[in-house]
Amino acid sequence: MNVQDNNNLPLLYEVRKDAFAKSKQIEPDERFFSMVYHMAMLARAVRKEGVLILEEAAKEVPTEIGLYQDIQAAALYVCDGNDLEDLTELLTSRYWRKDLQGGEALLFYMLILSFIRMGHGTPQYLLECLLVECLPGEAAEKYAAYKKRLQSKKPEPTQTQRLLNSRPNIGEGGILAVKGLLEEKIGQADEALLKKVLQEMKETDFTISLKGLSTSAKKKLFALIPDHKAEEYAQEWELMGPVRQIDIMAAMAELIAVFEKQEKALYIAK
C-alpha cells in the first residue's frame, strides 16, 4: 500500500492540524532535532534490514527526547505487521488519548509521521526532510548544525560494532529460508539454550554464519559472549572477507542442527 492509498490519512491530517496549532509559539530545542535524527536512523535501519529490526533499534533512541514508551509501542505496532491504515488509527488514537499540549503535541505528531513512513519504507533522507519541515523558524539550518555536532562526537566503531551493524551478506532462494529458520530459533531461545549452542558450535562455522544474520540476531548472541571473545570473532569475521553464499547457508544449517540437538536434550532433561 502506498502512503497516498491509506484511507485513514484524514486521521493523520487532523493530528497535524492540532499539533501545529498548539506549537505555533515554540522554539525548537535539541529534543526536536534529536527526534528528527533518531527517527531518520531508524528509517535507515528498516530500509537495510526490514521492519523487525525496529523492536531492538528503537530501544537505542535516547530517553531525553521524551515519549520513550510511545516510541517503543509504535515500533512494536510496525513489527507486528499492522498495515498503514491500522497503524495510523492506533497511533492517532494514542495521540488524542494523551491530550498533549505545546511542543509535546508536535513531537508526538513527528513520532506518528515517522513510524507510518517507516512502515511504508520511506528513505532516511526523505523522512528527515519531512520532519524538519514540521519545525518552525530556521529549523533546517539549526538541525544541520546539530547533526554535524552530533556526528563529530561519535567515536570510531570497534570491530565488534562493525560486525554487529553489518548488513547480511545473502542473496535469494533457499538461503533466505535457512536464515529465517535460524533467526526464529535465536529469537525464541532463552539464555540457557543459547549458551549451550554457543559452547558446541565450531568457531569457524559460527563466524561464517554471522555473515548472513541480521543485527538483532547477532546482538542477542553477542550479549552472551565475553568481550574478549567477541573481539576475536570480530577480527576473524573482518579478515575473512567475502564468503560464498553456499558456505554461509551451510554454516547456518549447521547452527540450526546444533539448536535442534540442544532443544532435544533440554526437552529430555525435563
Side-chain angles (χ1 to χ4, degrees):
M1 176 189 289
N2 293 324
V3 172
Q4 294 79 4
D5 296 331
N6 182 350
N7 290 325
N8 279 335
L9 276 182
L11 299 178
L12 179 63
Y13 297 151
E14 286 298 314
V15 168
R16 180 174 67 180
K17 181 179 178 181
D18 185 72
F20 280 18
K22 289 176 176 176
S23 58
K24 278 184 179 180
Q25 306 303 319
I26 71 158
E27 183 67 28
D29 56 28
E30 290 205 349
R31 287 198 310 156
F32 291 87
F33 301 139
S34 184
M35 173 71 89
V36 175
Y37 180 79
H38 288 94
M39 291 301 103
M41 291 301 100
L42 290 182
R44 179 185 178 188
V46 168
R47 293 273 290 185
K48 288 177 66 177
E49 300 189 44
V51 294
L52 294 181
I53 192 65
L54 278 176
E55 184 172 359
E56 289 301 318
K59 294 175 183 177
E60 298 178 13
V61 175
T63 56
E64 290 78 9
I65 294 175
L67 306 176
Y68 185 77
Q69 295 301 324
D70 299 295
I71 290 171
Q72 307 311 308
L76 288 177
Y77 291 156
V78 178
C79 289
D80 286 345
N82 291 293
D83 63 26
L84 293 182
E85 291 182 351
D86 290 338
L87 184 61
T88 303
E89 185 166 352
L90 285 165
L91 292 175
T92 54
S93 295
R94 198 176 180 100
Y95 173 88
W96 293 114
R97 190 168 67 248
K98 295 175 79 70
D99 190 25
L100 299 167
Q101 303 297 319
E104 296 298 314
L106 182 56
L107 278 170
F108 206 104
Y109 168 70
M110 293 167 69
L111 180 161
I112 296 172
L113 178 63
S114 296
F115 282 96
I116 289 174
R117 285 286 180 169
M118 284 180 222
H120 176 62
T122 295
Q124 167 194 351
Y125 175 72
L126 176 56
L127 177 58
E128 211 167 19
C129 292
L130 289 169
L131 293 176
V132 169
E133 288 301 319
C134 293
L135 303 177
E138 303 297 322
E141 292 80 2
K142 292 178 181 178
Y143 174 68
Y146 168 86
K147 184 178 176 181
K148 184 177 181 180
R149 187 172 72 252
L150 189 66
Q151 292 179 332
S152 68
K153 294 179 181 178
K154 283 190 172 182
E156 187 69 22
T158 64
Q159 286 180 310
T160 301
Q161 288 170 335
R162 285 198 294 273
L163 185 160
L164 293 176
N165 294 321
S166 64
R167 189 172 182 176
N169 178 25
I170 59 172
E172 299 179 350
I175 192 170
L176 290 178
V178 175
K179 174 184 182 293
L181 178 56
L182 177 55
E183 294 206 348
E184 182 180 343
K185 288 188 174 295
I186 293 171
Q188 294 176 351
D190 59 18
E191 184 175 321
L193 175 57
L194 288 176
K195 284 182 176 179
K196 287 184 176 296
V197 169
L198 289 169
Q199 287 170 0
E200 184 171 338
M201 186 62 189
K202 294 177 182 178
E203 292 187 7
T204 302
D205 293 335
F206 176 64
T207 308
I208 293 174
S209 67
L210 294 174
K211 296 280 185 179
L213 289 176
S214 66
T215 294
S216 58
K218 287 182 288 193
K219 284 184 175 179
K220 185 168 183 180
L221 292 170
F222 271 65
L224 302 175
I225 298 174
D227 289 345
H228 72 279
K229 193 65 179 175
E231 285 295 324
E232 288 180 18
Y233 283 132
Q235 290 173 14
E236 184 180 351
W237 172 86
E238 204 157 283
L239 290 171
M240 191 176 288
V243 177
R244 295 184 308 166
Q245 298 284 297
I246 192 171
D247 293 330
I248 297 174
M249 186 163 65
M252 290 195 295
E254 276 208 33
L255 192 50
I256 290 170
V258 175
F259 263 102
E260 291 175 344
K261 177 182 175 182
Q262 292 300 330
E263 287 168 347
K264 184 177 180 180
L266 287 172
Y267 178 78
I268 293 173
K270 291 178 181 179

